[in-house]
DNA sequence: GGCAAGCCATGACAGATGTCATGGCCACGT
DNA sequence: ACGTGGCCATGACATCTGTCATGGCTTGCC
C-alpha cells in the first residue's frame, strides 16, 4: 500500500484527486494540505511515501517544497503536478530533487501509474514537456535581470522598481533592456510574458 | 439520479472530479469533454441534467458555452466551476444564463450540494464572490477600450495594436489612456493586470 | 429642432522608456 | 602578470508612451 500526501491550494481539485486515487486498491491518501509550507510537517507526521505537489501554492511553491522534502525527508518522493507546462518548471523541479513531473492535461489513468513509478524509485516525466524543456533550454537571464524583470512584472514604473531593488533608474532600464534583448521581445511587457511562459521568473 | 456533463480542459482535473462525483449515490457522470465547443453536442446526446463548465477552455470559454446551453437546451442547467474568482466572471456567467458559480477553492463536499441545488432549479453562488462582484461592479471600459486593452495585453507595441484594430496610433494611445484612467492604473501594463483580475477582458 | 451626453477619432506636447557607450570589478585561462 | 569575458552599474540620447485639447458622429431627451 503506497501512502500519499496531496498538496494543492484548490480544495476542490485536491478532494477530487483524493477520490480518484483512493479508487486504486494499492494507493491510500493519508494527508492533504493546501499550502506549500505545511508539506514537510504533514509528510513527517503521516509517514507518506509519495507527495503530489502543485507548483502554484501560497506560502511555499511546490518546487521549493520538493526541495525541502528531498533534503529533510528523502524517503518521501516528490511528484510535481502542475497546471502550466512551462519548460522552466520541469528543469527547476528536477534540480530541486523531484522524482516526477506531470501536467494536469494528462489522462487521469496515467496519474496512478506515475505515482507507482515514482514510488518504485523510477522517474515519471511527461515526454512532450521534456522535449520542450530541452528545446527552450535554461534561462538566459542573469540573477539581477530576472529580479528586476520580476519586479517590473507587477506593472510598476521604473522609479518604483529602482526603489525596491536599491538601484539607479538607469541601471534598471539597462537590465530591462538586456532582458528584452535576450527574450527576443520588443517591449518590457512582452519580455515579462515570454519569461513567465518559459518559467524563467 | 442526476445526470452530469463535465467540461474542463485539464484531463486530470476532469477525471478526478468525475471520480469524486460518482461517489455520490444520486449523481452520475454521463459525459466528459475537454473543449467548450463540444459542450452543446455532448449535452444533447447524453441528455445531461446539469453541466459543470470550466471557464478557461479552448474553442469556446465556459461562459459562452453556458450561454449556448441556456439558449439551445434550457433543460440542461449550467454550473460554472472556475479556478479564478474574478468578480467579472461571476457577473458575466449569470448574464449568460448560468445557474451556479463555484470557485475551485471551495471544499469538495460543497460541490455535490451545489449540483443538487442547481438541479432543483435554485441558484448556487459563492457568497464571498457575490459580495466582491457587487463591490467591483461592472466593467467601466467601453467596447473599444476593452478591445484595444486586450490587444495590448499581448505585449505588442502601439503600432502593432493600431494595425490589428485598424486605428491610428494616436487613437490607440487615447483608448489606452482612458483605460489607464478608469482602472486607476499608472501604466498600461498595470491596467492590463487590473482588468484581467476583475474579469473585464 | 435644439441640446446634452457619450463614444469614436486625431494630433501636439511633456515625460517615461529603451538603446548605447562607458567603466569598474571579479573569475578564469594562458 | 596579462588579456578575455561576464556581470554589475551609470548617464546621455533618440524613441515611444500617456495626457490633453479638439472635433465629428450618433443617441436620447426635452
Amino acid at each position: 500500500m503506497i501512502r500519499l500526501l496531496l498538496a494543492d491550494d484548490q480544495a476542490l481539485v485536491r478532494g477530487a484527486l483524493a477520490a480518484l486515487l483512493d479508487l486504486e486498491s494499492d494507493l491510500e491518501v493519508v494527508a492533504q494540505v493546501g499550502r506549500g509550507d505545511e508539506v514537510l510537517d504533514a509528510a513527517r507526521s503521516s509517514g507518506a511515501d509519495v507527495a503530489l505537489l502543485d507548483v502554484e501554492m501560497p506560502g511555499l511553491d511546490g518546487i521549493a517544497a520538493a526541495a525541502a522534502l528531498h533534503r529533510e525527508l528523502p524517503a518521501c518522493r516528490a511528484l510535481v503536478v502542475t497546471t502550466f507546462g512551462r519548460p522552466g518548471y520541469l528543469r527547476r523541479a528536477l534540480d530541486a530533487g523531484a522524482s516526477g513531473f506531470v501536467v494536469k492535461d494528462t489522462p487521469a489513468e496515467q496519474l496512478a501509474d506515475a505515482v507507482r513509478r515514482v514510488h518504485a524509485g523510477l522517474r515519471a516525466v511527461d515526454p512532450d514537456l521534456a522535449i520542450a524543456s530541452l528545446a527552450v533550454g535554461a534561462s538566459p537571464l542573469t540573477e539581477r535581470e530576472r529580479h528586476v524583470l520580476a519586479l517590473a512584472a507587477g506593472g510598476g514604473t521604473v522609479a518604483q522598481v529602482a526603489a525596491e531593488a536599491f538601484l539607479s533608474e538607469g541601471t534598471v532600464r539597462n537590465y530591462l533592456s538586456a532582458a528584452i534583448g535576450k527574450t527576443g521581445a520588443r517591449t518590457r511587457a512582452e519580455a515579462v510574458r515570454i519569461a513567465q511562459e518559459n518559467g524563467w521568473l
Side-chain angles (χ1 to χ4, degrees), chain A:
Chain A
M1 185 71 91
I2 305 176
R3 301 163 64 80
L4 296 176
L5 163 73
L6 297 190
D8 193 313
D9 61 330
Q10 299 178 340
L12 208 49
V13 175
R14 200 167 66 230
L17 282 175
L20 178 74
L21 292 166
D22 267 335
L23 293 179
E24 305 288 325
S25 56
D26 57 337
L27 305 183
E28 180 185 14
V29 176
V30 295
Q32 295 187 30
V33 299
R35 300 178 51 86
D37 46 15
E38 295 172 355
V39 167
L40 194 54
D41 285 344
R44 242 195 275 270
S45 61
S46 67
D49 300 313
V50 177
L52 269 72
L53 308 172
D54 192 5
V55 173
E56 293 83 20
M57 277 190 294
L60 197 69
D61 72 45
I63 292 174
L69 272 182
H70 188 64
R71 193 176 53 244
E72 305 283 338
L73 210 64
C76 178
R77 314 271 183 179
L79 174 57
V80 176
V81 183
T82 183
T83 305
F84 305 105
R86 295 177 177 162
Y89 281 180
L90 169 57
R91 176 176 298 265
R92 279 160 51 199
L94 294 182
D95 287 348
S99 299
F101 193 95
V102 177
V103 270
K104 287 185 179 170
D105 271 341
T106 53
E109 306 85 43
Q110 292 184 13
L111 182 61
D113 289 338
V115 171
R116 293 191 191 97
R117 284 182 59 86
V118 167
H119 181 247
L122 303 171
R123 290 197 178 273
V125 174
D126 190 290
D128 292 340
L129 204 56
I131 293 168
S133 178
L134 289 174
V136 169
S139 170
L141 304 176
T142 73
E143 173 54 24
R144 287 287 192 290
E145 287 161 359
R146 187 203 63 76
H147 183 220
V148 168
L149 191 60
L151 288 178
T157 114
V158 168
Q160 291 173 308
V161 173
E164 291 180 70
F166 302 102
L167 294 173
S168 102
E169 297 192 14
T171 304
V172 169
R173 278 202 287 276
N174 197 31
Y175 283 142
L176 288 175
S177 179
I180 289 168
K182 287 180 178 177
T183 54
R186 287 216 156 258
T187 74
R188 162 190 325 194
E190 194 179 354
V192 167
R193 189 175 53 78
I194 291 172
Q196 283 177 337
E197 284 172 1
N198 287 320
W200 291 338
L201 292 188

